[in-house]
Amino acid sequence: MLSVLFVEDDATIAMGVEYSLKQDGFQVSLAYRLEEARDLLKRQPFDLVLLDLGLPDGSGYELCKEIRAAGDTPIIMLSARDEEASIVLGLDLGADDYLTKPFRLRELISRMKAVLRRRGPLETSERSLTCGGVTVLTGQARVYKDGREVLLTALEYRLLLTLFLNQKRVLSRNQILSSIWDVDEDFVNDNTLTVYIKRLREKLEDDPQNPVIIKTVRGLGYQAGD
Ligand code: CA
């Protein structure tokens, strides 16, 4: 059974989500404050952490940093703040995904399953996919730019892999969204994909303002390669 730590100070949300996750076969531990979450994390490993940002004794960002410093436990951040800056900060601190409140339970569970699945190997057979000086080794899930390894989050990797597996083809935003999140497109904040594309370009392109690896095809979507 997969264990989930849910850090949330709103008791109504906490209990509602706890109930649904248990119905779905997860084992759930609740923490209302950062301090309780830290205690629980010391006592047992979790398969996934759901992390609210505004907590009575501090910010979820702090705990995210601590969890990342200690290992690669998947983290999904939950917050009412949907500005691009706070999404970017959460992802920079190592969160795997970010969900804005209010969210639908079915969406949360789909995202959790997607994050857990991404932690496993996407493609076990070794393939080397190259485009514009960037190489993806699928068996090891590693990415290199001009021979140097580039570190990507699980979601960035999945996005890049989707584009590289479909090189020279234009992928619509919806095709990309359903491939990386595996949920109905209307669940996903359109902003989120834009943020991820921007982050990938910053990590991979020589000039992120004039991308040559991940191109925008106006009105249609995105394309890797010519
Ligand atoms: Ca809160």
Side-chain angles (χ1 to χ4, degrees):
M1 195 185 257
L2 291 166
S3 59
V4 177
L5 172 61
F6 187 21
V7 190
E8 168 65 77
D9 61 323
D10 182 323
T12 312
I13 297 178
M15 286 186 292
V17 170
E18 180 189 27
Y19 176 79
S20 302
L21 292 183
K22 282 183 172 164
Q23 297 286 100
D24 230 69
F26 291 94
Q27 187 197 312
V28 184
S29 302
L30 288 180
Y32 295 99
R33 305 160 62 87
L34 289 176
E35 212 183 293
E36 288 169 54
R38 289 186 181 112
D39 282 347
L40 287 167
L41 284 161
K42 266 182 234 157
R43 272 185 265 149
Q44 71 163 100
F46 288 95
D47 294 304
L48 184 114
V49 178
L50 296 174
L51 184 55
D52 180 34
L53 284 183
L55 293 160
D57 54 344
S59 147
Y61 290 129
E62 290 169 41
L63 189 64
C64 180
K65 266 193 272 183
E66 292 164 24
I67 295 170
R68 248 328 134 261
D72 64 354
T73 308
I75 300 168
I76 298 179
M77 282 187 171
L78 306 170
S79 168
R81 311 167 206 176
D82 63 350
E83 306 89 1
E84 183 173 312
S86 73
I87 299 177
V88 169
L89 177 58
L91 300 173
D92 279 343
L93 292 176
D96 291 89
D97 205 349
Y98 190 110
L99 205 52
T100 51
K101 294 176 183 172
F103 53 81
R104 281 174 278 184
L105 280 163
R106 198 161 68 80
E107 175 182 16
L108 174 67
I109 291 169
S110 295
R111 298 271 197 117
M112 288 170 62
K113 288 181 176 167
V115 165
L116 288 164
R117 217 175 19 251
R118 283 199 298 272
R119 287 284 159 164
L122 281 173
E123 277 220 351
T124 41
S125 59
E126 184 69 273
R127 281 176 71 182
S128 165
L129 305 163
T130 299
C131 175
V134 173
T135 300
V136 177
L137 296 182
T138 60
Q140 310 168 25
R142 286 180 193 273
V143 177
Y144 297 87
K145 159 89 177 169
D146 299 329
R148 283 219 301 267
E149 185 168 10
V150 182
L151 298 176
L152 301 182
T153 65
L155 211 137
E156 288 163 359
Y157 175 74
R158 194 173 175 103
L159 173 57
L160 184 67
L161 186 65
T162 300
L163 289 161
F164 272 35
L165 286 171
N166 293 284
Q167 271 186 52
K168 303 181 169 81
R169 274 171 39 201
V170 180
L171 297 180
S172 71
R173 294 177 65 89
N174 283 349
Q175 282 173 320
I176 295 173
L177 290 173
S178 58
S179 149
I180 59 177
W181 274 285
D182 206 16
V183 294
D184 299 345
E185 303 85 39
D186 64 325
F187 273 161
V188 180
N189 178 350
D190 214 35
N191 235 347
T192 313
L193 180 61
T194 309
V195 170
Y196 274 107
I197 293 277
K198 205 165 116 191
R199 291 168 58 82
L200 262 186
R201 283 173 173 160
E202 278 160 8
K203 290 185 177 182
L204 300 174
E205 301 275 358
D206 291 329
D207 178 3
Q209 301 306 318
N210 296 293
V212 296
I213 298 161
I214 303 169
K215 293 180 188 156
T216 301
V217 183
R218 200 161 292 281
L220 293 175
Y222 298 100
Q223 178 182 350
D226 295 306

